[in-house]
Amino acid sequence: MADGNSVSAIIADLRSRYVFSERDDAMRRHLHRRLAHDDAGAPLAQPALQRSGESGGIMVTGPSGAGKNWLIGKAIERTPALGVGSAAELLDRTTDGPLTCLFVRVPSPATLKSLGLTIIKACGLPVARLPAERWAIWDLARIRLKTRGVVVLWIDEVHNLFRTGADRDVREILDAFKSLMQGGEEAVVLILSGTRLLFDMTKIDPETSRRLTKLHMPVLCDAVHGDELRGLIEAYCAKAGLEPPDRGDLVGRLIHGARGAFGRCLDMTINAIEEALTEGHRQLDIQHFADAFAMHEGCDPEGNVFLAPGYADIELDLDPDRDPDPEPSGTRKRPARKETRP
């Protein structure tokens, strides 16, 4: 059996790795398009303003666990002008020092008022008395963003704001977002991330939608993404000193168990590798995936996607905002990812 410390070190190393793909290049292009550039064409820490004095934004959507946060964080990290040392630093950032980029998550309860208060508090400046009215809260939020010199405001889990679905509420939310991209020197580059519901709701207001470029992370399917995932499983096994598993239908089961989310596929693979190493086995196999899945899901063998013969018929707690399952054929195959340390 492998030594516990060595297993922990291997798993920590695997979890620290980031997998770059063509989607990372796309995200960086979206971001750089929203920033002003110097004479040499390098991005600056200021929004690219239109003649109207408006900036623009980016909307990144995909299923829960797809890896949206790391995708956006890495794009910001790889833009030196924004002054973010690492994606992890941005996601766990304190309010001390320059605040060129600000990351906030929609709080619970998810209301426009609570989000405005979250932005104010994240700016880190003392407030003698917080206003009670929603419009005054958002006015103060815009003042605080300008005072702190925020260029990029990234709001995560925005779909939670739209749960009521009431048309009036949706329009008020979109109006608030639109106001952040207006005002000339006060305008910020707005990044919104969330599930498909975010994409659907922004279509209600064309004025807001046209100000946002869109990047969507699709639900995975074996026919399109299977080879990529098999290659990553083999690469992770090599790093862990294990023989890769027999191919079979493992990847199809993995995608179904991960609800079609890329990030979840990687997490489940690492959990399975941990099972194999802890047991002292030399080869990763489907039983390790089954054991890790049972531990996480609390399911019986009949409900375990890695054991049940008809795994595709097992209904999981699907994200209510998840995309429809992709067609298994007729989709252009994407280039393979390259595994690179951050």
Side-chain angles (χ1 to χ4, degrees), residues 22-329:
E22 78 285 349
R23 203 154 48 214
D24 289 271
D25 294 330
M27 180 64 221
R28 189 159 62 160
R29 287 195 300 272
H30 278 262
L31 177 59
H32 288 189
R33 184 172 296 178
R34 291 308 188 189
L35 298 173
H37 290 68
D38 61 20
D39 293 338
L44 298 171
Q46 61 187 65
L49 298 179
Q50 302 177 20
R51 285 178 294 180
S52 61
E54 297 179 349
S55 63
I58 308 163
M59 179 169 57
V60 182
T61 56
S64 176
K68 298 182 291 294
N69 282 8
W70 284 109
L71 181 78
I72 299 168
K74 283 293 181 181
I76 294 173
E77 173 190 318
R78 297 167 72 199
T79 306
L82 296 178
V84 176
S86 69
E89 173 192 337
L90 174 64
L91 295 172
D92 299 323
R93 197 163 201 172
T94 64
T95 55
D96 297 329
L99 207 62
T100 308
C101 298
L102 180 63
F103 169 80
V104 297
R105 182 172 284 115
V106 170
S108 179
T111 66
L112 196 55
K113 182 176 180 178
S114 66
L115 176 58
L117 291 172
T118 298
I119 293 172
I120 293 170
K121 293 175 183 177
C123 286
L125 295 174
V127 180
R129 184 174 64 87
L130 287 171
E133 299 83 4
R134 186 165 58 188
W135 64 267
I137 288 172
W138 276 85
D139 279 349
L140 180 58
R142 284 190 291 272
I143 293 171
R144 286 294 187 258
L145 290 169
K146 180 182 179 181
T147 303
R148 291 306 306 270
V150 173
V151 176
V152 176
L153 173 61
W154 170 15
I155 306 175
D156 187 33
E157 296 188 1
V158 181
H159 55 275
N160 287 329
L161 287 171
F162 300 111
R163 293 297 186 188
T164 64
D167 188 68
R168 178 179 176 182
D169 293 340
V170 171
R171 291 186 181 279
E172 289 181 350
I173 292 166
L174 296 178
D175 283 345
F177 290 156
K178 186 164 52 181
S179 71
L180 294 171
M181 297 180 281
Q182 297 172 332
E185 293 182 357
E186 296 183 2
V188 299
V189 174
L190 182 63
I191 300 178
L192 304 176
S193 55
T195 65
R196 182 78 185 195
L197 179 62
L198 167 60
F199 177 84
D200 293 337
M201 291 296 101
T202 54
K203 291 190 294 185
I204 290 177
D205 180 19
E207 287 295 310
T208 302
S209 182
R210 71 174 178 82
R211 289 173 168 85
L212 301 168
T213 61
K214 284 88 173 173
L215 180 61
H216 183 63
M217 303 178 74
V219 173
L220 305 183
C221 72
D222 194 356
V224 178
H225 309 94
D227 289 344
E228 176 184 7
L229 286 173
R230 278 182 277 271
L232 284 171
I233 292 171
E234 291 172 2
Y236 276 29
C237 284
K239 293 291 184 183
L242 294 173
E243 292 295 321
D246 297 331
R247 294 201 165 192
D249 60 358
L250 172 62
V251 166
R253 293 173 180 271
L254 176 63
I255 290 173
H256 187 68
R259 285 75 164 172
F262 179 76
R264 283 189 177 187
C265 286
L266 296 186
D267 286 342
M268 292 170 67
T269 299
I270 294 172
N271 291 340
I273 288 174
E274 185 172 17
E275 289 286 330
L277 292 175
T278 301
E279 294 298 324
H281 296 164
R282 295 183 178 180
Q283 181 180 22
L284 183 66
D285 62 36
I286 198 167
Q287 186 61 51
H288 299 128
F289 282 89
D291 292 344
F293 186 80
M295 180 181 293
H296 188 271
E297 300 287 334
C299 61
D300 56 27
E302 291 76 15
N304 193 313
V305 298
F306 295 100
L307 298 177
Y311 72 90
D313 296 327
I314 296 176
E315 293 187 5
L316 303 170
D317 54 335
L318 299 177
D319 185 337
D321 305 324
R322 159 180 178 159
D323 297 343
D325 288 332
E327 292 294 331
S329 60

